[in-house]
């Protein structure tokens, strides 16, 4: 497939979803999607981060995207520790892209949902169904981390050339 290759990444310490779409003038097409699984949640944080970095580096090497689109961090006031841990995962993902000089764009979850579904507060199922419809897939992308990653990639596709937040 020819065209702009966009890698979408949904950072996670246990499961990091990724999806590669090829953007042409008509519509985005799925090239590849999957997950990078970290070791057990009981493993040391450094080991978990190393696994994520290695996995994303492999995806970058194999899929050769032109750009990476990644979800920005959001911190809920009741769970600031979660945002801190997710920042570590996002950091090693950005490092992997920087090491091979792939440009990175960040998008908020509400922005991605708004662009794809029309509502910044759309439920996960609606996002999954929209990704399925737009990419003409036979089934809903699963796990939801993969659908989220594809949604992030599609957001970049729809907004390319525009100022993004």
């Amino acid at each position: 497939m020819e065209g702009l290759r966009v890698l979408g990444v949904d950072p996670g310490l246990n499961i990091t979803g990724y999806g590669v779409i090829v953007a042409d003038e008509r519509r985005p097409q799925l090239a590849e999607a999957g997950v990078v699984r970290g070791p057990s949640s009981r493993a040391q944080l450094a080991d978990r981060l190393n696994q994520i970095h290695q996995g994303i580096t492999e995806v970058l090497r194999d899929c050769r995207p032109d750009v990476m689109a990644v979800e920005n961090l959001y911190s809920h006031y009741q769970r600031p520790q979660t945002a801190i841990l997710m920042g570590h995962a996002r950091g090693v993902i950005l490092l992997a892209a920087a090491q091979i000089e792939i440009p990175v764009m960040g998008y908020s979850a509400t922005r991605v949902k708004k662009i794809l579904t029309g509502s910044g507060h759309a439920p996960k199922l609606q996002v999954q169904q929209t990704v399925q419809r737009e990419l003409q897939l036979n089934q809903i992308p699963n796990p939801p981390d993969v659908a989220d990653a594809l949604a992030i990639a599609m957001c970049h596709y729809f907004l390319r050339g525009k100022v993004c937040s």
Side-chain angles (χ1 to χ4, degrees), residues 46-62:
D47 294 334
R48 295 169 75 187
L49 295 172
N50 185 48
Q51 186 70 33
I52 294 166
H53 182 266
Q54 288 179 0
I56 290 297
T57 298
E58 185 177 321
V59 168
L60 287 165
R61 184 179 58 246
D62 293 348

Side-chain angles (χ1 to χ4, degrees), residues 53-118:
H53 182 266
Q54 288 179 0
I56 290 297
T57 298
E58 185 177 321
V59 168
L60 287 165
R61 184 179 58 246
D62 293 348
C63 296
R64 305 176 64 76
D66 298 303
V67 63
M68 176 192 288
V70 64
E71 186 173 288
N72 288 336
L73 290 179
Y74 168 76
S75 176
H76 192 276
Y77 74 94
Q78 292 178 328
R79 295 184 293 278
Q81 184 69 23
T82 301
I84 292 167
L85 291 172
M86 292 306 298
H88 291 307
R90 190 172 187 274
V92 299
I93 291 165
L94 298 181
L95 173 63
Q99 287 174 326
I100 58 172
E101 300 178 347
I102 299 290
V104 177
M105 296 295 297
Y107 299 96
S108 70
T110 54
R111 177 75 169 182
V112 171
K113 290 176 182 182
K114 174 93 172 144
I115 294 300
L116 259 63
T117 70

Side-chain angles (χ1 to χ4, degrees), residues 28 63 120 136 145 148 158:
C63 296
Q136 300 179 335
D145 312 87
D148 290 347
F158 292 128

